[in-house]
Amino acid sequence: MQIYFSPEVITPQFQVLNVVDSENKAVGNVAFLFDEKKLYVYGILEEEGVGEDFKDLVTPYIKGLAKAKPDVEVFSCLYIGCQKIKLHGDEEDK
């Protein structure tokens, strides 16, 4: 199953994105909150079967947002089902 981001709300201070499948059914969401030197990421995916796809979707998005402020510190809290995950290869992930 393919998953995609579907914007819910986007402002200069935060973004809320729904995670939807190919049938446009919501399977999770991600919120990005911006501070001067920090980027907070909170997300949950309800469908455990697309966990790797979720990581592959979120990781480059975070890296792209972090490029806007090179000295930004990223704090993330991501869940697939009820299990907390760490993004692979992301040393800034706390």
Side-chain angles (χ1 to χ4, degrees):
M1 169 176 32
Q2 293 288 324
I3 58 173
Y4 310 93
F5 284 142
S6 175
E8 185 71 26
V9 179
I10 296 179
T11 73
Q13 294 81 25
F14 67 91
Q15 296 181 8
V16 177
L17 308 175
N18 288 321
V19 180
V20 298
D21 64 13
S22 56
E23 297 172 0
N24 209 29
K25 177 186 167 214
V27 295
N29 58 56
V30 182
F32 302 92
L33 303 165
F34 307 102
D35 195 13
E36 290 201 22
K37 302 272 183 187
K38 297 176 183 166
L39 170 60
Y40 299 96
V41 183
Y42 176 78
I44 188 162
L45 183 70
E46 297 170 3
E47 300 286 331
E48 293 181 23
V50 291
E52 285 302 315
D53 292 335
F54 183 60
K55 288 181 192 179
D56 292 343
L57 188 63
V58 171
T59 301
Y61 197 86
I62 291 172
K63 287 181 180 179
L65 290 174
K67 285 181 184 178
K69 293 183 179 179
D71 57 344
V72 72
E73 192 171 4
V74 178
F75 295 91
S76 66
C77 184
L78 299 168
Y79 288 87
I80 298 174
C82 293
Q83 184 172 358
K84 187 174 181 178
I85 62 166
K86 278 195 114 9
L87 300 177
H88 41 203
D90 189 356
E91 285 134 26
E92 294 181 6
D93 184 38
K94 307 258 175 165

